[in-house]
Amino acid sequence: MKKSLSILFALLFIFCQILSGCGNQTTTPTSKSGFYFNTIITVTIYQDVDEDTMDECFALARKYENLFSNTIPESDISRINAANGTPVAVDDETIALLEKGIAYGELSEGKFDITIGKLSDLWDISTKALLEETDASMIPVKEDIASALATIDYHNIRIERNEVTLLDPNTKLDLGGIAKGYIADRMKAFLNEKGFTNGFINLGGNFLALGPKENGDAYTVGIQKPFAEDGSAIASIEVTDETVVSSGIYERYFTVDDTLYHHILDTSTGYPYRNNLLGVTIITENSVDGDALSTTCFSLGLEDGMALIESLPDTEAVFITDDYELHTSSGIGTTIPFTKR
């Protein structure tokens, strides 16, 4: 359980970093946590908020889990995956998220691909990362990887009105790289519409500020130092109404013969990326974009990933290379205050 505890400590560190910058708040915070989409969600509000409102907010998380999860048999995504290539009528928001995933498939030229489900299942990194003992049998054989790769192509998704068809019946959707961000955004929108603009949401490490602090100051959010078992920070940034999302090889992984196998899989080779990056953190307005961009930029590598960030409006990034050097986009340190630890 050592690795799973490290992940928990990392999430707690991010949470504590946020709280440590809130000492000058005058309102006692109200917090609520729940477990959805295989992750812990915590909502903290620095305004008077009733229990019913918090319950409604978390009901959204339950709603979206029941639409987007590929492990709940009755979800929209599971029904599409099980339809053997026949059309499936789904919720409008499922269509919206699929279209967002396809857009990032186009932007990344397939490096980010929501039809990666068969390959993700084959590696099953999340389960293997919890094992104390590892051996070579945990690495998929080449033939199985090749078979899974043949099913990955976001062009296989056909959307007509509210119906979705997988043109290759062997293709499997997996929205794990984008769904958490969408859920976080919808929870934030709900709270903003209710008038709550002082607080934050931490959804499995996806951090969203609902606005500035009560006194107008920014929140300080720590970026975890890769592989630090105590969750210590390598840097921190200040945000007001933005989201901070990280992806890295230190989140879920296992090792065999001193080789590390992590959860960010290369859709061209079928193996985890080896591109001298340890992690990427995105700072932007919407968490769904931060979610997709953190994986996309990691997949593109430092040079191409940074070029993509510099081409996007109101979006910044921190890349961590395997020598633990920090590489920041042009707005970091100017429009977004940034501190190396």
Side-chain angles (χ1 to χ4, degrees):
M1 295 295 289
K2 183 177 180 181
K3 290 173 188 170
S4 61
L5 288 174
S6 297
I7 294 169
L8 175 60
F9 289 147
L11 296 181
L12 288 175
F13 171 78
I14 293 171
F15 189 60
C16 291
Q17 279 293 103
I18 297 163
L19 290 182
S20 69
C22 298
N24 53 0
Q25 295 277 8
T26 59
T27 304
T28 301
T30 298
S31 290
K32 180 180 175 66
S33 296
F35 192 79
Y36 303 90
F37 224 83
N38 202 33
T39 196
I40 298 171
I41 302 176
T42 299
V43 176
T44 299
I45 305 294
Y46 285 90
Q47 296 166 258
D48 292 332
V49 55
D50 59 85
E51 186 175 343
D52 287 345
T53 298
M54 294 292 263
D55 288 345
E56 282 185 71
C57 186
F58 277 85
L60 286 175
R62 186 181 310 110
K63 167 190 171 181
Y64 292 124
E65 181 180 40
N66 287 328
L67 289 177
F68 305 149
S69 172
N70 64 3
T71 60
I72 296 175
E74 300 80 15
S75 76
D76 280 357
I77 298 305
S78 290
R79 291 189 301 109
I80 296 168
N81 287 336
N84 199 32
T86 59
V88 177
V90 298
D91 190 273
D92 288 345
E93 292 197 77
T94 301
I95 297 293
L97 187 54
L98 289 174
E99 289 177 338
K100 177 69 80 169
I102 291 169
Y104 273 101
E106 294 282 356
L107 184 68
S108 66
E109 298 182 346
K111 290 184 179 295
F112 180 94
D113 197 316
I114 58 175
T115 63
I116 199 172
K118 286 286 178 70
L119 185 65
S120 298
D121 286 353
L122 184 63
W123 279 94
D124 194 17
I125 298 288
S126 295
T127 299
K128 294 172 182 176
L130 301 178
L131 300 177
E132 291 287 348
E133 301 294 330
T134 60
D135 58 59
S137 68
M138 297 167 65
I139 303 169
V141 298
K142 292 181 179 179
E143 292 78 9
D144 290 342
I145 290 175
S147 178
L149 282 175
T151 70
I152 301 174
D153 187 348
Y154 63 91
H155 294 99
N156 285 332
I157 306 169
R158 174 185 290 169
I159 298 174
E160 296 179 326
R161 294 180 296 277
N162 73 322
E163 288 189 339
V164 181
T165 306
L166 295 179
L167 301 182
D168 179 353
N170 293 314
T171 291
K172 183 175 182 180
L173 296 170
D174 181 350
L175 301 185
I178 198 169
K180 288 192 301 180
Y182 184 91
I183 294 168
D185 286 335
R186 299 316 304 154
M187 294 176 75
K188 175 181 176 178
F190 167 79
L191 291 168
N192 283 167
E193 289 166 5
K194 292 285 187 178
F196 299 105
T197 56
N198 300 130
F200 57 85
I201 299 169
N202 189 354
L203 200 159
N206 289 37
F207 171 80
L208 292 86
L210 301 182
K213 294 181 186 177
E214 189 178 12
N215 64 359
D217 288 349
Y219 290 92
T220 300
V221 183
I223 299 174
Q224 187 195 351
K225 181 178 181 180
F227 301 108
E229 293 189 4
D230 63 352
S232 58
I234 194 170
S236 62
I237 56 177
E238 295 180 16
V239 297
T240 52
D241 201 31
E242 298 96 348
T243 185
V244 181
V245 184
S246 298
S247 289
I249 70 173
Y250 52 88
E251 295 173 317
R252 298 189 297 278
Y253 66 91
F254 65 89
T255 56
V256 174
D257 296 330
D258 297 322
T259 299
L260 185 146
Y261 298 89
H262 59 83
H263 74 290
I264 307 177
L265 302 174
D266 187 336
T267 55
S268 62
T269 69
Y271 289 84
Y273 278 98
R274 305 199 187 284
N275 58 8
N276 304 117
L277 286 179
L278 298 180
V280 177
T281 295
I282 303 295
I283 306 96
T284 192
E285 180 179 356
N286 297 312
S287 195
V288 66
D289 295 311
D291 222 357
L293 282 171
S294 63
T295 303
T296 295
C297 288
F298 188 99
S299 303
L300 289 171
L302 176 59
E303 184 175 343
D304 290 343
M306 189 68 79
L308 173 60
I309 292 299
E310 298 291 6
S311 74
L312 299 174
D314 303 318
T315 304
E316 305 297 340
V318 180
F319 292 71
I320 308 174
T321 47
D322 56 10
D323 56 2
Y324 285 81
E325 286 295 313
L326 303 179
H327 306 261
T328 61
S329 56
S330 57
I332 295 287
T334 54
T335 58
I336 296 177
F338 173 77
T339 303
K340 294 182 181 180
R341 295 300 177 93

